[in-house]
Amino acid sequence: MDTTLAAVVPLFRANNDLFRGGLAGISREDLSRRPHGDSNPIIWVAAHALSWRSSLAKMCGADVTNPWARLFEGGSKLDDEMEYPEASEIIELWDDTTRKLMKRFEELGDDELAKPASFGVPFGENTLRGAIVFLNFHETYHIGQIGFLRKWLGYSQLIG
C-alpha cells in the first residue's frame, strides 16, 4: 500500500466507528434539531459526510451509488420541509461505500494516485493522493461536528 494511504487508512477506519457512534441512539426528532437557524442538523452533517465519502470512493474507481448526493453536497441549502433519510439508511450506505473504498485503497498504485484530482484540492497535492488526504481532513471535520451536535443534544460524547 502507498505510504500516504497507509497513514490515512487508520484515520478513515477511526472515522467509521465515530460516524456510526455519532448517530447511535439519537431520536428522529433530535436528528433534525439545529442549535441555530442557519446551522445544519446532525442528519444533514451525516448525509453530507456520506456524500463526500461516496464521491471519494468513485474517484478511486469504486462502483458506488448515493441517491442523496445532490441534496447534501457543499453549498446545498437546508430545507425544513425535506424528508431526510433515516439514520439507519445513511449508516447502511456508509458501510457499503466504506467496504468498497477500503478495497480500492488496497489496490491503488502510484500511477493512479498521481493522476490529477477531479476537483481543486484546497491544500496539498492536486492529485488523487492529495484528494484522499484532504477528504480525510474534511470528513474528520464533519465527524467533529456530529460529536458536538450529539453532546449539544444531551447525548453521550463520542470520545473520552
Side-chain angles (χ1 to χ4, degrees), residues 15-24 91-92 94-95 150 158:
N15 280 348
N16 291 339
D17 295 337
L18 294 172
F19 182 86
R20 294 175 115 270
L23 298 177
I91 291 170
E92 183 179 333
W94 175 273
D95 288 345
R150 180 180 177 81
L158 280 181

Side-chain angles (χ1 to χ4, degrees), residues 5-28:
L5 289 185
V8 296
V9 163
L11 301 174
F12 277 105
R13 287 191 177 122
N15 280 348
N16 291 339
D17 295 337
L18 294 172
F19 182 86
R20 294 175 115 270
L23 298 177
I26 299 180
S27 72
R28 178 76 180 165

Side-chain angles (χ1 to χ4, degrees), residues 12 43 61 67 69 74 82 84 88-89 108 118 120 124 134 158:
F12 277 105
I43 195 73
M82 187 171 86
Y84 289 107
S88 60
E89 295 174 292
L108 288 170
S118 61
F134 169 74
L158 280 181

